[in-house]
Amino acid sequence: MPERKGPSRKGQPTLSRQAWADAALDALAERGVAAVAVEPLAAALGVTKGSFYWHFRTREDLLAAALERWHERETEEVIAALQRLDDPAVRLRRLFDIAFRDAVGGGAEAALLAATDSPVVAAAVRQVTTRRLAYLAELFTDLGVAPGAAEHAGLLAYTSYVGFFTLQRAEPAAVPRGPALDRYLDDLLAMLSAAAGARPSPAHPRQRGV
Amino acid sequence: MPERKGPSRKGQPTLSRQAWADAALDALAERGVAAVAVEPLAAALGVTKGSFYWHFRTREDLLAAALERWHERETEEVIAALQRLDDPAVRLRRLFDIAFRDAVGGGAEAALLAATDSPVVAAAVRQVTTRRLAYLAELFTDLGVAPGAAEHAGLLAYTSYVGFFTLQRAEPAAVPRGPALDRYLDDLLAMLSAAAGARPSPAHPRQRGV
DNA sequence: ACCTGAACACCGTTCAAGT
DNA sequence: ACCTGAACACCGTTCAAGT
């Protein structure tokens, strides 16, 4: 995949596949999957839509390229950064900070996770989801949690995260900020630790019935 | 709003606004927001797309009507049914069963909650979200939880729910079923009760640090 | 009152032709 | 190697005309 070949016509550098994919991912994060449209994107990039088809076979292809970029940026790079931290407890806390405070994905997440009507999007989302759940389970295992309980806790953590940023998009006013967010994360971590420590099968004692 | 006016041409009953809205909601639940398309819907209903514009001003209008139906079915009717139960603890458990087991919304939920690029969808989602969070807070208050903690617990419950069905759509294989689901809901309820019982402000004792 | 049919704009896709 | 420009299909929207 050539990165860029140097200027060609009228001083404009020739467009690369990557430039299209990046523009597509930006549009997607800001205005949703429908905004990944060839003609408007071409206009924004200053070329005709015909030229698009030299780089990509279809619009779906462009989406797939943008999605690949998303996977790399918001999953692989985050995991790689976490793995540079020695203490798994620190890794978990850092992950929560990244996920809940820094709001990974900058808007692409919510747009993507539910746009599973598109087969390309569905495939990318499945991959990312599997990868993240596996990493979370690994993280809890590193903390000393038994495999089954670790998977369970990872699931709980991930659904909370997905729900959180979805809510943030749907109704930002309802999402905790500042000290309320601290308490929220505190409780979540505590809940997770309780769930992770629970024995797999029989009913376990609880502090108060709800 | 007239329901139906009796047959008109060729034995076909005249189409009502409601028939269009229902068809739109079905398409939306099954194939996403993009599937709410005038021409295909008209074809399916056996009329020309021109006729659509007698009932609705725009496609957005149709979406809004479908959304109103969604709000009624998946929020107001559910709440009304719950309120017929006396014991708030039973209400909460029943709500969890409906939400996590019977998968409210039959697919529309995930498609909608993240399709906030459309202003009509965004508005409907905001309304439904606010209503549901308010009801959850009320439910926890009825259980004897203090107002602040009740809101907090409701938020935790709702984000878990949203994350759960999003995951169900994204990667069904990762979602617990059978006894694993029982344990999941058990833990969730216990976590919620712990969070609800926590004092609002200062650091509270936890069973084990994570 | 409710629908048809033709028209037009917008965007995805193709392709011959340009540089 | 990379792009233009014209063409066509599909869907949203309008509107005059039908029953």
Side-chain angles (χ1 to χ4, degrees):
Chain A
M1 234 179 281
E3 270 291 9
R4 172 170 289 208
K5 293 301 191 44
S8 61
R9 353 155 271 106
K10 289 192 191 176
Q12 297 288 356
T14 264
L15 248 37
S16 68
R17 230 184 112 86
Q18 196 58 66
W20 278 97
D22 282 339
L25 184 51
D26 286 350
L28 196 154
E30 278 165 39
R31 300 183 307 282
V33 179
V36 180
V38 179
E39 196 167 70
L41 240 36
L45 291 170
V47 292
T48 64
K49 55 183 175 169
S51 91
F52 165 83
Y53 289 90
W54 195 88
H55 296 288
F56 296 89
R57 218 169 40 80
T58 65
R59 172 187 176 264
E60 287 252 290
D61 248 46
L62 174 61
L63 244 182
L67 260 18
E68 203 179 317
R69 197 105 191 72
W70 169 65
H71 182 157
E72 189 58 29
R73 276 220 277 252
E74 309 301 344
T75 300
E76 300 306 335
E77 289 180 10
V78 169
I79 290 178
L82 289 175
Q83 284 310 105
R84 272 177 230 122
L85 303 169
D86 296 328
D87 184 352
V90 174
R91 287 208 285 271
L92 184 60
R93 224 166 230 302
R94 177 91 192 93
L95 174 55
F96 267 58
D97 280 347
I98 293 172
F100 289 84
R101 289 186 209 278
D102 310 349
V104 192
E109 291 276 339
L112 250 26
L113 287 203
T116 39
D117 33 310
S118 158
V120 219
V121 175
V125 165
R126 210 172 314 121
Q127 259 200 330
V128 163
T129 300
T130 306
R131 178 73 166 106
R132 289 175 176 179
L133 285 175
Y135 180 71
L136 275 167
E138 188 190 318
L139 227 176
F140 281 103
T141 309
D142 287 349
L143 280 165
V145 176
E151 199 186 331
H152 187 89
L155 195 62
L156 240 18
Y158 194 62
T159 54
S160 298
Y161 158 66
V162 170
F164 188 86
F165 73 70
T166 303
L167 188 62
Q168 186 146 48
R169 254 212 160 187
E171 176 55 324
V175 163
R177 270 171 307 279
L181 178 54
D182 291 341
R183 233 181 322 127
Y184 180 91
L185 293 182
D186 240 45
D187 280 353
L188 206 53
L189 239 13
M191 284 172 10
L192 254 19
S193 111
R199 258 97 46 262
S201 206
H204 22 255
R206 288 276 133 74
Q207 35 230 89
R208 329 191 286 114
V210 151
Chain B
M1 233 177 280
E3 271 289 10
R4 174 168 290 207
K5 295 298 190 47
S8 62
R9 359 156 264 109
K10 289 194 190 175
Q12 298 287 358
T14 264
L15 248 38
S16 66
R17 228 183 114 85
Q18 197 58 66
W20 278 97
D22 282 339
L25 184 51
D26 286 350
L28 196 153
E30 277 166 39
R31 299 183 308 282
V33 179
V36 180
V38 179
E39 195 167 70
L41 240 35
L45 290 170
V47 292
T48 64
K49 55 183 175 169
S51 90
F52 165 82
Y53 288 89
W54 195 87
H55 297 287
F56 296 89
R57 218 168 41 79
T58 63
R59 174 187 173 263
E60 287 252 291
D61 248 45
L62 174 60
L63 243 181
L67 258 19
E68 204 179 317
R69 198 106 191 70
W70 169 64
H71 182 157
E72 191 55 32
R73 275 220 279 253
E74 310 301 344
T75 299
E76 301 305 334
E77 289 180 11
V78 169
I79 289 178
L82 288 175
Q83 284 309 105
R84 271 176 232 125
L85 303 169
D86 297 329
D87 184 350
V90 173
R91 287 209 286 271
L92 184 60
R93 222 166 232 301
R94 177 89 192 94
L95 174 55
F96 266 59
D97 280 348
I98 293 171
F100 288 85
R101 290 187 211 278
D102 311 348
V104 192
E109 291 277 338
L112 250 26
L113 286 202
T116 38
D117 33 311
S118 159
V120 218
V121 175
V125 165
R126 211 172 314 121
Q127 259 200 329
V128 164
T129 300
T130 305
R131 179 75 166 106
R132 289 176 177 179
L133 285 175
Y135 180 71
L136 275 166
E138 187 190 321
L139 229 176
F140 280 104
T141 308
D142 287 349
L143 280 165
V145 177
E151 198 187 331
H152 186 91
L155 194 63
L156 241 16
Y158 194 61
T159 54
S160 297
Y161 158 65
V162 171
F164 188 87
F165 74 69
T166 303
L167 189 61
Q168 187 148 47
R169 253 212 160 186
E171 176 57 325
V175 164
R177 272 171 306 279
L181 177 55
D182 292 341
R183 233 182 321 130
Y184 181 90
L185 293 182
D186 240 45
D187 279 354
L188 208 51
L189 239 13
M191 285 173 7
L192 252 21
S193 110
R199 257 98 46 261
S201 203
H204 21 255
R206 290 275 135 71
Q207 35 231 88
R208 327 191 290 111
V210 148

